[in-house]
Amino acid sequence: MKKTSIFIVLFISYISYSAWVYTDGTNTASVMSLQQQAGKNIYQKNNCTSCHQLFGMGGFLGPELTTVISDKNRGPLYARTFLQYGGARMPNFHFSKEEIDEVIAFLEYVDTNASTYKNNK
Ligand code: HEC
């Protein structure tokens, strides 16, 4: 009798936990705005990935960009400067102000969705 009640309690806990995880688990992902999507297109078209990594994937000539926006030593203004003027090794893509805004918006999106990445650092 005692074993049966323990089994029932565990079984109900398991079912409730599974239901909670499977119904609630995916609600945290945010949807990209049109501006962020435009930035993503620019990022892909210009092959930024050949030199930069997002979530650890990509080329290693340039720095990792996953948390460039929230990084207290870098941030949006710092990133914007490289997009506008290029760097010693970073090419100048001659982006318009609007295109730079879009790339920054995309990098912001990546950054806000990188919570697990930040915790693992
Ligand atoms: C040819 C390789 C190369 C490509 C392609 C490239 N970058 Fe870079 N990028 C660099 C390097 C190297 C740096 C570091 C500064 C330097 O040495 O010029 C840099 C710096 C940056 C920075 C400043 C971040 C930091 O931590 O220094 C940002 C933001 C950035 N790049 C964004 C981009 C974006 C967006 C694209 C695509 C439109 C891109 N880069 C394409 C090489 C590249």
Tab-separated table of all heavy atoms in Angstrom, residues 40-65:
chain	number	residue	atom	x	y	z
A	40	LYS	N	20.041	41.187	-40.035
A	40	LYS	CA	20.493	39.802	-40.223
A	40	LYS	C	20.843	39.558	-41.697
A	40	LYS	O	21.855	38.934	-42.009
A	40	LYS	CB	19.394	38.838	-39.765
A	40	LYS	CG	19.818	37.392	-39.801
A	40	LYS	CD	18.671	36.491	-39.450
A	40	LYS	CE	19.067	35.049	-39.596
A	40	LYS	NZ	17.909	34.149	-39.615
A	41	ASN	N	20.005	40.093	-42.602
A	41	ASN	CA	20.283	39.954	-44.037
A	41	ASN	C	21.613	40.600	-44.405
A	41	ASN	O	22.394	40.033	-45.174
A	41	ASN	CB	19.174	40.601	-44.876
A	41	ASN	CG	17.933	39.759	-44.873
A	41	ASN	OD1	17.978	38.579	-44.524
A	41	ASN	ND2	16.805	40.351	-45.235
A	42	ILE	N	21.865	41.791	-43.858
A	42	ILE	CA	23.133	42.479	-44.134
A	42	ILE	C	24.295	41.636	-43.615
A	42	ILE	O	25.309	41.470	-44.282
A	42	ILE	CB	23.138	43.878	-43.478
A	42	ILE	CG1	22.078	44.760	-44.130
A	42	ILE	CG2	24.517	44.519	-43.567
A	42	ILE	CD1	21.862	46.089	-43.446
A	43	TYR	N	24.112	41.082	-42.409
A	43	TYR	CA	25.147	40.256	-41.785
A	43	TYR	C	25.470	39.049	-42.671
A	43	TYR	O	26.632	38.691	-42.877
A	43	TYR	CB	24.670	39.805	-40.397
A	43	TYR	CG	25.758	39.241	-39.516
A	43	TYR	CD1	26.466	40.063	-38.647
A	43	TYR	CD2	26.086	37.882	-39.544
A	43	TYR	CE1	27.469	39.565	-37.835
A	43	TYR	CE2	27.089	37.378	-38.744
A	43	TYR	CZ	27.779	38.219	-37.887
A	43	TYR	OH	28.780	37.724	-37.092
A	44	GLN	N	24.411	38.453	-43.233
A	44	GLN	CA	24.617	37.259	-44.072
A	44	GLN	C	25.187	37.621	-45.446
A	44	GLN	O	26.105	36.986	-45.934
A	44	GLN	CB	23.301	36.492	-44.227
A	44	GLN	CG	22.898	35.817	-42.932
A	44	GLN	CD	21.535	35.157	-42.999
A	44	GLN	OE1	20.689	35.540	-43.793
A	44	GLN	NE2	21.312	34.171	-42.147
A	45	LYS	N	24.624	38.668	-46.059
A	45	LYS	CA	25.048	39.072	-47.409
A	45	LYS	C	26.523	39.451	-47.455
A	45	LYS	O	27.215	39.191	-48.428
A	45	LYS	CB	24.231	40.281	-47.865
A	45	LYS	CG	23.258	39.962	-48.957
A	45	LYS	CD	22.847	41.241	-49.675
A	45	LYS	CE	21.350	41.199	-49.926
A	45	LYS	NZ	20.728	42.511	-49.792
A	46	ASN	N	26.998	40.121	-46.382
A	46	ASN	CA	28.382	40.589	-46.373
A	46	ASN	C	29.338	39.588	-45.740
A	46	ASN	O	30.506	39.892	-45.512
A	46	ASN	CB	28.467	41.935	-45.664
A	46	ASN	CG	27.758	43.010	-46.452
A	46	ASN	OD1	28.269	43.498	-47.453
A	46	ASN	ND2	26.554	43.350	-46.033
A	47	ASN	N	28.780	38.420	-45.405
A	47	ASN	CA	29.605	37.330	-44.892
A	47	ASN	C	30.432	37.718	-43.663
A	47	ASN	O	31.614	37.377	-43.579
A	47	ASN	CB	30.521	36.814	-46.016
A	47	ASN	CG	30.810	35.346	-45.865
A	47	ASN	OD1	30.241	34.691	-44.984
A	47	ASN	ND2	31.702	34.818	-46.677
A	48	CYS	N	29.820	38.437	-42.743
A	48	CYS	CA	30.482	38.827	-41.488
A	48	CYS	C	30.989	37.582	-40.755
A	48	CYS	O	32.011	37.622	-40.071
A	48	CYS	CB	29.522	39.585	-40.584
A	48	CYS	SG	28.627	40.916	-41.394
A	49	THR	N	30.260	36.481	-40.949
A	49	THR	CA	30.598	35.217	-40.308
A	49	THR	C	31.983	34.686	-40.699
A	49	THR	O	32.578	33.929	-39.959
A	49	THR	CB	29.501	34.179	-40.678
A	49	THR	OG1	28.379	34.470	-39.875
A	49	THR	CG2	29.925	32.764	-40.474
A	50	SER	N	32.477	35.113	-41.871
A	50	SER	CA	33.793	34.606	-42.272
A	50	SER	C	34.885	35.082	-41.304
A	50	SER	O	35.914	34.431	-41.170
A	50	SER	CB	34.118	35.026	-43.707
A	50	SER	OG	34.186	36.429	-43.787
A	51	CYS	N	34.655	36.213	-40.642
A	51	CYS	CA	35.658	36.735	-39.699
A	51	CYS	C	35.172	36.731	-38.250
A	51	CYS	O	35.978	36.756	-37.327
A	51	CYS	CB	36.030	38.162	-40.061
A	51	CYS	SG	36.904	38.312	-41.629
A	52	HIS	N	33.838	36.791	-38.026
A	52	HIS	CA	33.300	36.926	-36.661
A	52	HIS	C	32.515	35.700	-36.242
A	52	HIS	O	31.900	35.038	-37.074
A	52	HIS	CB	32.349	38.132	-36.592
A	52	HIS	CG	33.054	39.440	-36.754
A	52	HIS	ND1	33.754	40.027	-35.738
A	52	HIS	CD2	33.150	40.278	-37.817
A	52	HIS	CE1	34.255	41.187	-36.165
A	52	HIS	NE2	33.922	41.353	-37.426
A	53	GLN	N	32.463	35.463	-34.923
A	53	GLN	CA	31.658	34.367	-34.401
A	53	GLN	C	30.407	34.900	-33.718
A	53	GLN	O	30.437	35.950	-33.085
A	53	GLN	CB	32.423	33.549	-33.356
A	53	GLN	CG	33.796	33.102	-33.765
A	53	GLN	CD	34.844	33.810	-32.955
A	53	GLN	OE1	34.867	33.711	-31.732
A	53	GLN	NE2	35.715	34.557	-33.615
A	54	LEU	N	29.293	34.173	-33.878
A	54	LEU	CA	28.094	34.355	-33.073
A	54	LEU	C	27.863	33.013	-32.401
A	54	LEU	O	27.891	31.985	-33.059
A	54	LEU	CB	26.887	34.723	-33.935
A	54	LEU	CG	26.861	36.134	-34.542
A	54	LEU	CD1	25.588	36.342	-35.351
A	54	LEU	CD2	26.978	37.214	-33.475
A	55	PHE	N	27.675	33.022	-31.087
A	55	PHE	CA	27.527	31.786	-30.313
A	55	PHE	C	28.687	30.826	-30.583
A	55	PHE	O	28.509	29.625	-30.702
A	55	PHE	CB	26.187	31.108	-30.603
A	55	PHE	CG	25.017	31.936	-30.162
A	55	PHE	CD1	24.288	32.670	-31.081
A	55	PHE	CD2	24.658	32.016	-28.830
A	55	PHE	CE1	23.231	33.464	-30.678
A	55	PHE	CE2	23.594	32.806	-28.411
A	55	PHE	CZ	22.879	33.522	-29.339
A	56	GLY	N	29.873	31.395	-30.748
A	56	GLY	CA	31.071	30.569	-30.889
A	56	GLY	C	31.319	30.028	-32.280
A	56	GLY	O	32.325	29.362	-32.520
A	57	MET	N	30.402	30.309	-33.231
A	57	MET	CA	30.589	29.756	-34.579
A	57	MET	C	30.935	30.857	-35.575
A	57	MET	O	30.309	31.915	-35.569
A	57	MET	CB	29.341	29.016	-35.028
A	57	MET	CG	29.231	27.674	-34.352
A	57	MET	SD	27.842	26.733	-34.947
A	57	MET	CE	26.509	27.621	-34.190
A	58	GLY	N	31.884	30.592	-36.440
A	58	GLY	CA	32.287	31.557	-37.449
A	58	GLY	C	33.797	31.657	-37.498
A	58	GLY	O	34.502	30.858	-36.881
A	59	GLY	N	34.272	32.646	-38.254
A	59	GLY	CA	35.708	32.809	-38.430
A	59	GLY	C	36.372	33.429	-37.217
A	59	GLY	O	35.696	33.970	-36.339
A	60	PHE	N	37.698	33.371	-37.172
A	60	PHE	CA	38.436	33.831	-35.991
A	60	PHE	C	39.368	35.006	-36.263
A	60	PHE	O	40.201	35.332	-35.434
A	60	PHE	CB	39.197	32.662	-35.358
A	60	PHE	CG	38.280	31.722	-34.627
A	60	PHE	CD1	37.667	30.678	-35.294
A	60	PHE	CD2	37.999	31.918	-33.278
A	60	PHE	CE1	36.790	29.834	-34.629
A	60	PHE	CE2	37.121	31.077	-32.610
A	60	PHE	CZ	36.515	30.033	-33.287
A	61	LEU	N	39.212	35.647	-37.422
A	61	LEU	CA	40.046	36.824	-37.676
A	61	LEU	C	39.563	37.999	-36.826
A	61	LEU	O	40.356	38.750	-36.266
A	61	LEU	CB	40.002	37.178	-39.175
A	61	LEU	CG	40.886	38.345	-39.596
A	61	LEU	CD1	42.351	38.021	-39.361
A	61	LEU	CD2	40.672	38.680	-41.068
A	62	GLY	N	38.242	38.148	-36.723
A	62	GLY	CA	37.652	39.229	-35.922
A	62	GLY	C	37.142	38.718	-34.590
A	62	GLY	O	37.050	37.511	-34.383
A	63	PRO	N	36.780	39.643	-33.671
A	63	PRO	CA	36.306	39.224	-32.359
A	63	PRO	C	34.893	38.618	-32.366
A	63	PRO	O	34.129	38.840	-33.303
A	63	PRO	CB	36.310	40.527	-31.543
A	63	PRO	CG	36.490	41.632	-32.496
A	63	PRO	CD	36.928	41.084	-33.808
A	64	GLU	N	34.595	37.860	-31.341
A	64	GLU	CA	33.269	37.282	-31.071
A	64	GLU	C	32.263	38.422	-30.900
A	64	GLU	O	32.539	39.389	-30.183
A	64	GLU	CB	33.415	36.449	-29.796
A	64	GLU	CG	32.183	36.150	-29.003
A	64	GLU	CD	31.342	35.049	-29.596
A	64	GLU	OE1	31.798	33.888	-29.639
A	64	GLU	OE2	30.218	35.373	-29.997
A	65	LEU	N	31.086	38.327	-31.565
A	65	LEU	CA	30.128	39.436	-31.506
A	65	LEU	C	28.847	39.133	-30.720
A	65	LEU	O	27.980	39.989	-30.605
A	65	LEU	CB	29.740	39.878	-32.929
A	65	LEU	CG	30.847	40.466	-33.814
A	65	LEU	CD1	30.296	40.859	-35.177
A	65	LEU	CD2	31.514	41.665	-33.162
